[in-house]
Amino acid sequence: MKINIGIVGYGNLGKSAERAVLANKNLNLVRIFSRRVVVSSYNTAVEPYENYRNFVGKIDIMLLCGGSKSDLEVQTPEILEYFDCINTFDTHKKLKSEYDRLGKLAKETGHRLIMACGWDPGMFSVIRAYNKAISGTNPITFWGKGISMGHSDAIRRVNGVIDAVQFTVPSPDAVKLAKAGTLPDDVPLHFRECYVVADKKDQERIEKEIKEIPNYFKGQPTTVNFVSSEKLSKLKSKMFHKGEVISSFKTVHGSACKINFSVSMESNPNFTASIVIAYINAIVNLKYNGLSGAFTNLDIPPSYLFLGKEKENLISSLC
Amino acid sequence: MKINIGIVGYGNLGKSAERAVLANKNLNLVRIFSRRVVVSSYNTAVEPYENYRNFVGKIDIMLLCGGSKSDLEVQTPEILEYFDCINTFDTHKKLKSEYDRLGKLAKETGHRLIMACGWDPGMFSVIRAYNKAISGTNPITFWGKGISMGHSDAIRRVNGVIDAVQFTVPSPDAVKLAKAGTLPDDVPLHFRECYVVADKKDQERIEKEIKEIPNYFKGQPTTVNFVSSEKLSKLKSKMFHKGEVISSFKTVHGSACKINFSVSMESNPNFTASIVIAYINAIVNLKYNGLSGAFTNLDIPPSYLFLGKEKENLISSLC
């Protein structure tokens, strides 16, 4: 029997999720829900967002593909009341409060939410947890080269900025020091490459203001490039990304160990969608075991990513 | 309250586990159990193996540090009848049957066994599971350079071999092809460096016989070096090891992704002991949640490696 899937939100991630669901023979894509009337590129039926309630009993799991900035905090509780859900919420400072709030709601309504599901947070969180548990030390994470939405948004809030995008680039020196286990606290981990569209007259001030934005750019090696709208459109379409989690430590016996995990991808939304789709089986396993509530990837046993015979034979095939 | 630990077996892994338990302020090392009367290097009290039953109620978790070849299949069920246990059993073709047999016993006696716990099987199994679930393809694992016990044992069974050790070395070409996602099925993944002590008159025959051992050496690039007993002792004391799990694939959308996980360690037993110690918390969490049975690392949520406040705050500290 196929698992019935709904997708909420039809931006980059929603489109990637649609193709991934359609390609999976265990899944049946019932509907896409969108606040704007859209036509799906693959002929999936699209409903206005608010119609989701009509699909109780027809959809098993909703993939929430809206953005962390404005969609997910509103949509997740609305939909979770009626459906099991997976979202990719990644606003770090709100993760714990959302986990508590949505966990309570999920338990009350007897549903399951897997939240913060993706490569970071998500896969990288899992790797950091293993490394921390084994080494007793905090791993170091590098991102890029790739676009950071948060940093791009921060630039766009500067007065006079018409549009902007920011590429995060790991500092090769910092990566080297991290791998050697000798990274001092005060070495910047990343370079910030900013591309900005703005009027000539504002550019000098804007560059200065960007470099002073606390938490985002201040104290970090930042370059600001002013480009045309056409150039910016091209840059904003770059979906590649990379990341790395590095632990270099000594065991309590004093013997050196290195653990290194890296991912690189041509398309961030396609890779993220592949991870979201993999956790559909986890929802099925949670439900089968009578569990409800909010879960992150840290709460899910790796074996829950498999079902049936494949799950039973995991110990022979993957151990 | 400290967790009371017993260690069964006092070879390389037992010694590494002893030091790791002593260095951990949440653990109390009650006894080492050994079939040979030994003196601990760190003044831990040592009991004859068969006395383990006297420690029911005094030891919470037993770390079974015997070898997969002859100890663990016998000792694990004996001790599991009375205690929660962790072992590092790694005889691949027996994993599933041991999992089933010991899982049944653990449930009957209300205990928990975490088995096949280490870096491979163990950590690498977990990584292979994530990569498989996300990519739909089987990752490729490389080991070494480091000693393979199984291959060393296979050489020792050849008539006339006095002693031997085998270093597994990944083929640089195979690693390169695996990372590019273009590894053909018939490319050998590893070189086999054999060091053998034998009488001069037997050497030609022995070299030929080693290279013909099916599953271990036949069809794999193998070099056989005859060395003195002194040289062999030195080689056998090399504890360093390395390993790598590589996935290079395209998502269903056709976009390329690479996932790469590697570990390297100065001391295999010290690193393995660090992993075993990390899973002590998992036993506590399993027990707290009323679960009994046999578990591999695949069955354990990453969050189970933490306790108390650290576990509660995981989402803020590691996600």
Tab-separated table of all heavy atoms in Angstrom, chain B residues 68-86:
chain	number	residue	atom	x	y	z
B	68	SER	N	35.732	-11.550	19.076
B	68	SER	CA	34.589	-12.100	18.339
B	68	SER	C	34.838	-13.555	17.987
B	68	SER	O	33.902	-14.329	17.808
B	68	SER	CB	34.376	-11.319	17.040
B	68	SER	OG	33.935	-10.027	17.328
B	69	LYS	N	36.103	-13.934	17.870
B	69	LYS	CA	36.441	-15.248	17.327
B	69	LYS	C	36.019	-16.372	18.266
B	69	LYS	O	35.450	-17.363	17.836
B	69	LYS	CB	37.942	-15.317	17.064
B	69	LYS	CG	38.316	-16.162	15.863
B	69	LYS	CD	39.803	-16.088	15.625
B	69	LYS	CE	40.435	-17.469	15.659
B	69	LYS	NZ	41.868	-17.415	15.987
B	70	SER	N	36.265	-16.227	19.568
B	70	SER	CA	35.937	-17.363	20.441
B	70	SER	C	35.238	-16.947	21.741
B	70	SER	O	34.561	-17.760	22.351
B	70	SER	CB	37.221	-18.140	20.770
B	70	SER	OG	38.248	-17.263	21.159
B	71	ASP	N	35.378	-15.686	22.165
B	71	ASP	CA	34.833	-15.299	23.466
B	71	ASP	C	33.358	-14.897	23.423
B	71	ASP	O	32.544	-15.378	24.207
B	71	ASP	CB	35.615	-14.110	24.046
B	71	ASP	CG	37.096	-14.416	24.201
B	71	ASP	OD1	37.431	-15.590	24.464
B	71	ASP	OD2	37.905	-13.482	24.050
B	72	LEU	N	33.022	-13.971	22.544
B	72	LEU	CA	31.753	-13.253	22.690
B	72	LEU	C	30.518	-14.124	22.486
B	72	LEU	O	29.509	-13.931	23.175
B	72	LEU	CB	31.718	-12.029	21.764
B	72	LEU	CG	32.694	-10.908	22.150
B	72	LEU	CD1	32.704	-9.795	21.104
B	72	LEU	CD2	32.357	-10.335	23.524
B	73	GLU	N	30.602	-15.092	21.570
B	73	GLU	CA	29.421	-15.934	21.349
B	73	GLU	C	29.059	-16.751	22.586
B	73	GLU	O	27.897	-17.058	22.822
B	73	GLU	CB	29.657	-16.878	20.176
B	73	GLU	CG	29.487	-16.188	18.839
B	73	GLU	CD	29.900	-17.092	17.697
B	73	GLU	OE1	29.078	-17.930	17.285
B	73	GLU	OE2	31.049	-16.973	17.229
B	74	VAL	N	30.084	-17.100	23.384
B	74	VAL	CA	29.857	-17.866	24.612
B	74	VAL	C	29.521	-16.935	25.784
B	74	VAL	O	28.558	-17.151	26.517
B	74	VAL	CB	31.122	-18.706	24.960
B	74	VAL	CG1	30.913	-19.437	26.278
B	74	VAL	CG2	31.453	-19.662	23.826
B	75	GLN	N	30.320	-15.888	25.938
B	75	GLN	CA	30.186	-15.039	27.124
B	75	GLN	C	28.951	-14.147	27.081
B	75	GLN	O	28.331	-13.901	28.122
B	75	GLN	CB	31.443	-14.169	27.284
B	75	GLN	CG	32.688	-14.989	27.600
B	75	GLN	CD	33.948	-14.140	27.655
B	75	GLN	OE1	33.914	-12.939	27.366
B	75	GLN	NE2	35.061	-14.767	28.022
B	76	THR	N	28.578	-13.654	25.892
B	76	THR	CA	27.462	-12.707	25.839
B	76	THR	C	26.170	-13.312	26.410
B	76	THR	O	25.568	-12.710	27.310
B	76	THR	CB	27.253	-12.143	24.418
B	76	THR	OG1	28.486	-11.586	23.969
B	76	THR	CG2	26.193	-11.062	24.396
B	77	PRO	N	25.734	-14.491	25.964
B	77	PRO	CA	24.489	-15.025	26.556
B	77	PRO	C	24.635	-15.329	28.051
B	77	PRO	O	23.681	-15.116	28.808
B	77	PRO	CB	24.226	-16.308	25.754
B	77	PRO	CG	25.499	-16.622	25.035
B	77	PRO	CD	26.227	-15.340	24.866
B	78	GLU	N	25.803	-15.802	28.472
B	78	GLU	CA	25.988	-16.109	29.900
B	78	GLU	C	25.782	-14.862	30.754
B	78	GLU	O	25.072	-14.877	31.766
B	78	GLU	CB	27.397	-16.675	30.148
B	78	GLU	CG	27.546	-18.126	29.657
B	78	GLU	CD	28.957	-18.703	29.835
B	78	GLU	OE1	29.885	-17.956	30.224
B	78	GLU	OE2	29.132	-19.901	29.560
B	79	ILE	N	26.396	-13.777	30.328
B	79	ILE	CA	26.367	-12.558	31.157
B	79	ILE	C	25.064	-11.792	30.981
B	79	ILE	O	24.528	-11.212	31.915
B	79	ILE	CB	27.599	-11.692	30.829
B	79	ILE	CG1	28.840	-12.578	31.045
B	79	ILE	CG2	27.615	-10.415	31.658
B	79	ILE	CD1	30.067	-11.919	31.425
B	80	LEU	N	24.535	-11.818	29.742
B	80	LEU	CA	23.288	-11.106	29.439
B	80	LEU	C	22.117	-11.634	30.282
B	80	LEU	O	21.159	-10.909	30.534
B	80	LEU	CB	22.988	-11.262	27.949
B	80	LEU	CG	21.788	-10.518	27.359
B	80	LEU	CD1	21.923	-9.009	27.561
B	80	LEU	CD2	21.654	-10.838	25.867
B	81	GLU	N	22.204	-12.872	30.720
B	81	GLU	CA	21.152	-13.441	31.562
B	81	GLU	C	21.020	-12.648	32.869
B	81	GLU	O	19.939	-12.587	33.457
B	81	GLU	CB	21.466	-14.910	31.851
B	81	GLU	CG	20.240	-15.723	32.153
B	81	GLU	CD	20.548	-17.205	32.283
B	81	GLU	OE1	21.457	-17.712	31.576
B	81	GLU	OE2	19.876	-17.857	33.101
B	82	TYR	N	22.118	-12.013	33.291
B	82	TYR	CA	22.121	-11.323	34.589
B	82	TYR	C	22.318	-9.809	34.496
B	82	TYR	O	22.021	-9.100	35.449
B	82	TYR	CB	23.228	-11.913	35.487
B	82	TYR	CG	23.046	-13.381	35.756
B	82	TYR	CD1	23.617	-14.340	34.919
B	82	TYR	CD2	22.258	-13.809	36.827
B	82	TYR	CE1	23.427	-15.697	35.153
B	82	TYR	CE2	22.065	-15.164	37.069
B	82	TYR	CZ	22.652	-16.108	36.229
B	82	TYR	OH	22.453	-17.434	36.462
B	83	PHE	N	22.847	-9.331	33.368
B	83	PHE	CA	23.242	-7.916	33.293
B	83	PHE	C	22.895	-7.310	31.926
B	83	PHE	O	22.836	-8.019	30.927
B	83	PHE	CB	24.767	-7.773	33.464
B	83	PHE	CG	25.302	-8.286	34.758
B	83	PHE	CD1	25.788	-9.581	34.864
B	83	PHE	CD2	25.323	-7.467	35.890
B	83	PHE	CE1	26.288	-10.064	36.070
B	83	PHE	CE2	25.824	-7.938	37.095
B	83	PHE	CZ	26.302	-9.246	37.190
B	84	ASP	N	22.751	-5.989	31.904
B	84	ASP	CA	22.776	-5.247	30.645
B	84	ASP	C	24.210	-5.277	30.116
B	84	ASP	O	25.157	-5.208	30.906
B	84	ASP	CB	22.360	-3.785	30.880
B	84	ASP	CG	20.873	-3.659	31.218
B	84	ASP	OD1	20.119	-4.620	30.992
B	84	ASP	OD2	20.479	-2.578	31.716
B	85	CYS	N	24.357	-5.376	28.794
B	85	CYS	CA	25.692	-5.577	28.214
B	85	CYS	C	25.906	-4.740	26.952
B	85	CYS	O	24.960	-4.433	26.237
B	85	CYS	CB	25.882	-7.036	27.774
B	85	CYS	SG	25.822	-8.256	29.087
B	86	ILE	N	27.174	-4.427	26.702
B	86	ILE	CA	27.596	-3.893	25.395
B	86	ILE	C	28.712	-4.803	24.889
B	86	ILE	O	29.644	-5.109	25.642
B	86	ILE	CB	28.120	-2.442	25.510
B	86	ILE	CG1	27.068	-1.538	26.170
B	86	ILE	CG2	28.521	-1.896	24.134
B	86	ILE	CD1	27.525	-0.097	26.380
